[in-house]
Amino acid sequence: MLSMIKKWFWYNWVIFALRTIWLGIIVIADVMYPAMIAVPFGVIILIAFLVYAIPLIVQYRKENWYLAVEVLMTGFFYLFVAYVAPALTWSFVLLVIIIGVASSRRTYMWTGISSGIIFPALNGLITNRLPYEFMFSCSFGFAIGMAFSILIESHKQGRIIQEQKQLLEQHIKQIEELTLIEERNRLSYELHDTIGHSLTSLIVGVESLRSSVPDSQIERVDKLVSIAQDSLDDIRKHFHQPSDARLNQSLSEALLELTEEFIKSTGVTVNFRVIGSETLVMQKMSFCLYRCLQESLTNAVRHGQASEISVDLYFESQQLRLQIEDNGNGLESIEFGLELKGIKERLEQLQGSLAVHSQSGQGTVVICNVPIKVEAGQGSIRLLIVDDQVMIADSLQQILSQQDNFIVGGTASDGQEALEQCERHQPDIVLMDVHMQGMNGLKTFLQMKERWPNMKIVIMTTFEDSVQAATALEHGAEGYMLKSTRPKEMMEAMKLIYSGGTWLDQSIATRVFEEMKRQREQLEKYSPNDPYGLTKREREILQLLSDGLRYKSIATKLYLSEGTVRNYCSTLYSKLGVSNREEAIELARNESIL
């Protein structure tokens, strides 16, 4: 009981105070006005205390029984008071308020009728009075309780939203850090062997010529060496440090600082404006726009010979728009060279777009658009829930349907019905139980992937099973989730999966990777010709990687989503024990896997 009280919020104490006031009224009336009570002293107090305490105990022990016990004990005590102390029947309204607070959408009909109509009507018969006055006062009390219940629910929803926001921010931050670290690791190797080596050679070569350069050109040599050294330091800083301090600022602050640094180093006038109300954006998005502005400013001065540049950052409802306009020479025809191609690829990774407008002698305008969030259809993610336990399916449907970002297109109780529902509704994500009558979840999952390769499927189960999880993920499942997952965590998982990610319950993640390793070792032991245990699909993707195709091209060729191809590649790299595409291709060629 004490542990429950520690978790109480202000509204719990208000209800407790109301109940205590009611008990105090009964005790005071029995002590100060014993003539108005037709039973011995202490009897009504004892019964009132039981009505006061028992519902609280039941609420702590068996919460599902609480409301029924509250209504029955309160109602019968009300009738008892009508016999022995009619003057105290008005106090029943206080308990009706408590009943109204405890009622929900599923229960308010029977609790409202019982406490607002039935018991007041019986009280009228007992006291030989018209029941309308009792009905009105009790119904009014119940309405007050329901209104207070709505206020409490609003407070709970606000608290849940705040918790979800904090969890989501933490989750997004972790994903961003891992993604950026992975990208830096990949690029650091490439830059070390290419640009880094070239810059180092340039510095050494120029320094070797210093003795043969006239004194009048020494300053120029120093400047060239300094530029090369600064470029090398900049590469090392951005790809070997865990984070860029400038990206810890807000987006507008980071871009403003960049423009100020650019003005100091070049002397070019740059006017920076923020239009609209700034909102927090993901670090990856900030990094992308930061690089886009950096390269656009450089291009404007280097190629366009611009003397004045305008930079406008628009915060719109659905997207961010960065517009860079210069007064340079302009271009007769726009060719997506290395710089523009780099900007375009960065934006496309965030499902953004690049537009360039230029005319000879009239400057250039570069417009970068990035969607703030990805939306499906009319702004919602379409779901299909497959579970042969009706209660679980209905509960999930009720939870997810109440969210603005989700539409539950239907439920299915077996594999065959699930296939029919997929054919009819074409959901974005299927939440499917593993164990079902008839065609089980894994068999149904394989048929779904064969017929609708772009459909995202999340396997659900009651108990943790690393073998099932490893099998499902290896065959292209986008998620493996326990039914005990908290609703708010489940909803964030659905959003992550819809945007192209993969979800694996953290309680089982370590065992899944161990199981995948064990399966690989078994395959190596019993199948020496196939030591890595690659599936037919993984071999097919490995061959396409070897042919030089990118993830997007592979997805188009195999009729898969790009996220599914990435999942396949992650599993493929894990089996081969490599970290990237190049290492996988080299290993496949050296060991004649293909």
Side-chain angles (χ1 to χ4, degrees), residues 328-334 357-365:
N329 299 329
L331 301 170
E332 292 184 0
S333 62
I334 299 170
H357 307 279
S358 182
Q359 291 184 7
S360 180
Q362 297 185 18
T364 302
V365 179

Side-chain angles (χ1 to χ4, degrees), residues 288-550:
C288 174
L289 293 177
Y290 185 94
R291 287 304 187 196
C292 291
L293 177 58
Q294 190 177 48
E295 293 175 12
S296 297
L297 291 175
T298 303
N299 289 339
V301 175
R302 186 172 61 182
H303 299 302
Q305 304 297 315
S307 60
E308 184 172 353
I309 304 172
S310 296
V311 179
D312 296 327
L313 177 61
Y314 294 82
F315 285 90
E316 300 173 352
S317 59
Q318 299 297 324
Q319 68 174 6
L320 290 175
R321 179 156 54 95
L322 178 64
Q323 182 171 312
I324 305 101
E325 182 176 1
D326 65 66
N327 65 347
N329 299 329
L331 301 170
E332 292 184 0
S333 62
I334 299 170
E335 296 180 1
F336 280 73
L338 183 61
E339 294 87 359
L340 287 179
K341 187 177 180 181
I343 295 175
K344 186 177 181 182
E345 288 178 351
R346 288 182 185 277
L347 292 168
E348 287 178 347
Q349 288 176 359
L350 297 174
Q351 300 188 16
S353 62
L354 172 67
V356 182
H357 307 279
S358 182
Q359 291 184 7
S360 180
Q362 297 185 18
T364 302
V365 179
V366 178
I367 302 175
C368 305
N369 292 305
V370 183
I372 293 177
K373 59 182 179 180
V374 179
E375 298 184 350
Q378 298 181 355
S380 298
I381 301 172
R382 302 185 305 275
L383 302 175
L384 173 65
I385 300 172
V386 185
D387 199 311
D388 59 355
Q389 298 184 45
V390 178
M391 182 177 295
I392 292 178
D394 290 345
S395 298
L396 287 174
Q397 183 177 18
Q398 183 178 0
I399 291 170
L400 294 171
S401 295
Q402 292 174 354
Q403 307 302 314
D404 294 336
N405 296 326
F406 298 93
I407 293 178
V408 180
T411 60
S413 58
D414 56 50
Q416 188 59 43
E417 186 181 357
L419 294 174
E420 294 172 359
Q421 292 271 24
C422 287
E423 182 73 39
R424 188 179 305 117
H425 298 294
Q426 294 290 309
D428 298 311
I429 301 177
V430 178
L431 281 169
M432 184 159 55
D433 186 19
V434 175
H435 301 291
M436 296 185 295
Q437 298 294 329
M439 186 187 300
N440 65 31
L442 289 178
K443 290 182 179 179
T444 307
F445 155 71
L446 293 175
Q447 288 200 24
M448 286 181 177
K449 277 298 180 184
E450 183 177 350
R451 295 172 62 179
W452 303 285
N454 294 328
M455 190 176 293
K456 303 180 188 300
I457 302 173
V458 180
I459 301 297
M460 293 193 307
T461 184
T462 303
F463 302 104
E464 301 173 356
D465 190 326
S466 58
V467 177
Q468 279 182 354
T471 302
L473 292 174
E474 285 186 351
H475 286 82
E478 280 74 21
Y480 186 88
M481 182 180 299
L482 299 180
K483 293 181 182 179
S484 57
T485 302
R486 292 180 298 174
K488 57 185 177 182
E489 187 177 0
M490 181 180 295
M491 287 180 283
E492 297 307 331
M494 293 300 100
K495 294 176 184 177
L496 175 66
I497 290 168
Y498 177 76
S499 63
T502 302
W503 177 273
L504 178 62
D505 196 282
Q506 293 302 307
S507 64
I508 197 175
T510 302
R511 294 200 300 278
V512 170
F513 296 132
E514 291 176 351
E515 174 61 26
M516 294 174 72
K517 180 180 178 182
R518 186 191 67 79
Q519 290 179 1
R520 186 166 63 247
E521 291 173 349
Q522 289 293 323
L523 286 169
E524 184 176 358
K525 179 179 179 182
Y526 294 108
S527 304
N529 295 328
D530 185 15
Y532 298 101
L534 302 183
T535 64
K536 180 180 178 182
R537 177 67 83 182
E538 288 165 353
R539 285 177 172 275
E540 189 175 9
I541 291 176
L542 182 57
Q543 180 63 59
L544 294 174
L545 289 173
S546 180
D547 293 340
L549 272 66
R550 296 291 178 182

Side-chain angles (χ1 to χ4, degrees), residues 111-123:
T111 56
I113 292 173
S114 299
S115 57
I117 298 176
I118 295 176
F119 286 117
L122 293 175
N123 178 49

Side-chain angles (χ1 to χ4, degrees), residues 132-150:
Y132 304 117
E133 181 182 348
F134 302 126
M135 289 181 179
F136 175 78
S137 59
C138 291
S139 297
F140 184 70
F142 186 82
I144 293 175
M146 285 292 293
F148 191 63
S149 175
I150 294 172

